[in-house]
Amino acid sequence: MRMVKSLLLGTAAGLIAVGGAQAADLPVKAKAVEYVKICSLYGAGFYYIPGSDTCIKLGGYLRAEVALNAGGNYSAQYNGVSAANNRLTNYYSMRAREDLNIDTRTATEYGVVRTYFDAVFTWTTGSYASAGTGTTAYDSAPAGTSGNGSVSGGALGVYYAFIQFAGFTMGKSVSQFDAPWINYPGNNFDQLVGGSGSTNGVTQFTYTADFGQGVTAAISAQDQTQFFTTNLWNTAGMSTTGVLGGAYGSNDIGGTRSPDLVGMVRVDQAWGLFQASVAAHDNHVGYYGATETTGHPEDKWGWAVQLALSIKNIPTGAGDVINISGVYTDGASRYNFQSLAATSYSMFGSSNAAYQSIGFAGVSDAVFGPGGNLELTKTYGFRGAYTHNWSPYWNTALYGAWAAVNYSSTAKGLICGSAAFATLTGTCNPDFNIGQVGVITRWTPVKNLTFSADFTYSHLDQKYSGAITTGALTSVAKPAATYELKDQDTYSLLLRAQRNW
């Protein structure tokens, strides 16, 4: 009995001790969990940042694609090894990309304060160019690779980073000159000519006025240096090999003096939209020679004007749309040959009269020679697309573009009078046209997942005739030979899978 009593007392004491230890380990009081709350003020996908009155939305996409007969990403075989049509030419290129965008909104007594950031992480196939007798070198286009092409990373690109407040946009955003569809009236093809397109954004300071009823107007000062300035050729630097690469001299761009000045008016209604844009562009070059004592041409202002029209609710089907635009430039060629479009063309083909044929051309803002003035380059063009929805899951777009480049008589004299054309037998005329036409079909089997196939055909209509003899074009492994001057054609096909989120 005494043993049982001792056992019971010992057990009770042990239980009390364990209970006391457990009680000592309990938290004083758990804090209430601060759940993320939905913000319905600015549309779907916004949430309140915990502890603040700012709403945030995350978005983006992941894209995987292969381009056949292309020039890198989804561009055409217009120049370099991609247009050489020999053993250095890539028959395909591949790319993977992740896009991330962050959108924040905060209501204030002055209106909504918005910030927007969009960045992409990209890997793209590179190419090999000739580096001498029997050797090649991997290009540096896919940033993050070593010289032998081994992988050490990809490329980071910042598309947009801007603040919007009280009608002002400050930072890197789409140009106010651009049509709302930028470079893509219905296509995936990146190099469509015939209009402005700042897909990668341009730094700007803009004020936009909203007059109601879908009518807005904007005035903007935007950075011209990266995306809205093209070649300013000093013809003193011309060579036959350079000309055949699409360059009519040394590129002699000077430092910044003025941003581009842009004005825009837009009417956006249920039937579609209409937009008119104008831009002024300062052309500022360096010097005639190697030092400042050689002198320089005076600045000349160029300009551009663009009209864009979108027609919705057309009778061919729900969601069908027609997007078209037209542009004219004088000394501001990037507003026609947009930031992703080629400004040099050097395309090789077959010939029955010479070693091979070549079509070459170049785009500039202006041309000048020693002691001379700037000769502004004129361009004009258009582009557009018609998109038809076969069903909620399938659509097809037909698209096309065309652009022309015209040099002044003085500029033609400087170019054609150069020793670079001493071996030309035929007609010398640097004017040219480029035409593009394509078709794309998209399949969206589930929401936000799209597969597409995009085929593009391009025709370079150059104005030279006859033949020209040149030294070796080593970067594209072309020998010293006589080449027939001839129009050229090329085509590309892009297969893409994209998941938006």
Side-chain angles (χ1 to χ4, degrees), residues 19 119 121 148 219 316 325 338 401 418 456:
F121 307 85
N148 63 3
I219 185 168
T316 55
S325 63
Q338 44 88 4
S418 167
T456 308

Side-chain angles (χ1 to χ4, degrees), residues 27-46:
V28 177
K29 186 176 181 181
K31 293 183 178 180
V33 177
E34 189 171 7
Y35 293 99
V36 176
K37 296 186 295 183
I38 293 175
C39 174
S40 59
L41 297 175
Y42 310 109
F46 281 92

Side-chain angles (χ1 to χ4, degrees), residues 133-275:
T133 305
T135 61
T136 60
Y138 192 68
D139 70 13
S140 59
T145 61
S146 63
N148 63 3
S150 62
V151 177
S152 62
L156 170 64
V158 177
Y159 277 7
Y160 311 126
F162 61 82
I163 300 170
Q164 287 182 323
F165 173 66
F168 291 95
T169 299
M170 299 159 282
K172 197 168 187 281
S173 182
V174 172
S175 170
Q176 302 303 311
F177 190 92
D178 293 356
W181 48 86
I182 315 177
N183 295 330
Y184 308 97
N187 50 293
N188 286 343
F189 181 68
D190 285 329
Q191 291 191 304
L192 215 60
V193 297
S196 170
S198 52
T199 302
N200 297 333
V202 57
T203 308
Q204 61 189 268
F205 190 92
T206 298
Y207 178 74
T208 303
D210 189 340
F211 299 101
Q213 304 298 316
V215 179
T216 56
I219 185 168
S220 178
Q222 66 181 28
D223 182 25
Q224 63 153 279
T225 53
Q226 186 173 6
F227 296 126
F228 288 95
T229 294
T230 188
N231 303 298
L232 291 169
W233 279 320
N234 184 344
T235 58
M238 286 182 65
S239 67
T240 304
T241 55
V243 163
L244 297 186
Y248 299 132
S250 304
N251 204 357
D252 198 4
I253 301 171
T256 58
R257 289 298 181 270
S258 172
D260 283 7
L261 305 177
V262 176
M264 180 274 292
V265 176
R266 181 185 300 175
V267 179
D268 197 338
Q269 304 287 342
W271 56 264
L273 68 86
F274 172 79
Q275 178 177 307

Side-chain angles (χ1 to χ4, degrees), residues 34-101:
E34 189 171 7
Y35 293 99
V36 176
K37 296 186 295 183
I38 293 175
C39 174
S40 59
L41 297 175
Y42 310 109
F46 281 92
Y47 296 85
Y48 283 101
I49 297 175
S52 78
D53 58 355
T54 297
C55 299
I56 188 170
K57 179 180 180 179
L58 303 179
Y61 62 79
L62 195 143
R63 175 186 296 170
E65 62 191 24
V66 56
L68 308 177
N69 222 43
N73 43 27
Y74 191 26
S75 56
Q77 294 181 318
Y78 291 146
N79 50 46
V81 293
S82 69
N85 287 322
N86 60 17
R87 294 184 64 84
L88 301 182
T89 302
N90 285 342
Y91 283 11
Y92 73 90
S93 63
M94 304 183 76
R95 181 170 69 178
R97 168 173 288 176
E98 169 66 25
D99 176 274
L100 170 66
N101 56 70

Side-chain angles (χ1 to χ4, degrees), residues 155-422:
L156 170 64
V158 177
Y159 277 7
Y160 311 126
F162 61 82
I163 300 170
Q164 287 182 323
F165 173 66
F168 291 95
T169 299
M170 299 159 282
K172 197 168 187 281
S173 182
V174 172
S175 170
Q176 302 303 311
F177 190 92
D178 293 356
W181 48 86
I182 315 177
N183 295 330
Y184 308 97
N187 50 293
N188 286 343
F189 181 68
D190 285 329
Q191 291 191 304
L192 215 60
V193 297
S196 170
S198 52
T199 302
N200 297 333
V202 57
T203 308
Q204 61 189 268
F205 190 92
T206 298
Y207 178 74
T208 303
D210 189 340
F211 299 101
Q213 304 298 316
V215 179
T216 56
I219 185 168
S220 178
Q222 66 181 28
D223 182 25
Q224 63 153 279
T225 53
Q226 186 173 6
F227 296 126
F228 288 95
T229 294
T230 188
N231 303 298
L232 291 169
W233 279 320
N234 184 344
T235 58
M238 286 182 65
S239 67
T240 304
T241 55
V243 163
L244 297 186
Y248 299 132
S250 304
N251 204 357
D252 198 4
I253 301 171
T256 58
R257 289 298 181 270
S258 172
D260 283 7
L261 305 177
V262 176
M264 180 274 292
V265 176
R266 181 185 300 175
V267 179
D268 197 338
Q269 304 287 342
W271 56 264
L273 68 86
F274 172 79
Q275 178 177 307
S277 310
V278 296
H281 173 83
D282 179 41
N283 291 290
H284 177 80
V285 302
Y287 297 97
Y288 292 122
T291 68
E292 60 189 30
T293 59
T294 60
H296 59 82
E298 294 302 317
D299 288 17
K300 276 192 178 181
W301 280 83
W303 57 275
V305 60
Q306 179 174 266
L307 301 178
L309 177 67
S310 180
I311 304 174
K312 304 176 183 178
N313 300 319
I314 56 181
T316 55
D320 290 6
V321 62
I322 296 174
N323 296 324
I324 55 175
S325 63
V327 65
Y328 182 91
T329 75
D330 187 2
S333 299
R334 271 302 192 190
Y335 289 94
N336 186 352
F337 290 78
Q338 44 88 4
S339 61
L340 299 180
T343 55
S344 64
Y345 299 82
S346 181
M347 303 164 65
F348 291 86
S350 61
S351 173
N352 295 323
Y355 172 71
Q356 287 180 350
S357 66
I358 183 173
F360 62 91
V363 182
S364 66
D365 283 335
V367 175
F368 69 97
N373 297 320
L374 291 178
E375 295 294 325
L376 300 184
T377 305
K378 294 179 172 60
T379 81
Y380 52 95
F382 64 87
R383 64 186 177 199
Y386 162 62
T387 302
H388 173 64
N389 293 277
W390 303 100
S391 74
Y393 310 102
W394 291 89
N395 71 50
T396 297
L398 297 173
Y399 64 88
W402 181 88
V405 174
N406 291 331
Y407 289 90
S408 71
S409 58
T410 301
K412 289 176 181 176
L414 290 169
I415 293 169
C416 295
S418 167
F421 283 99

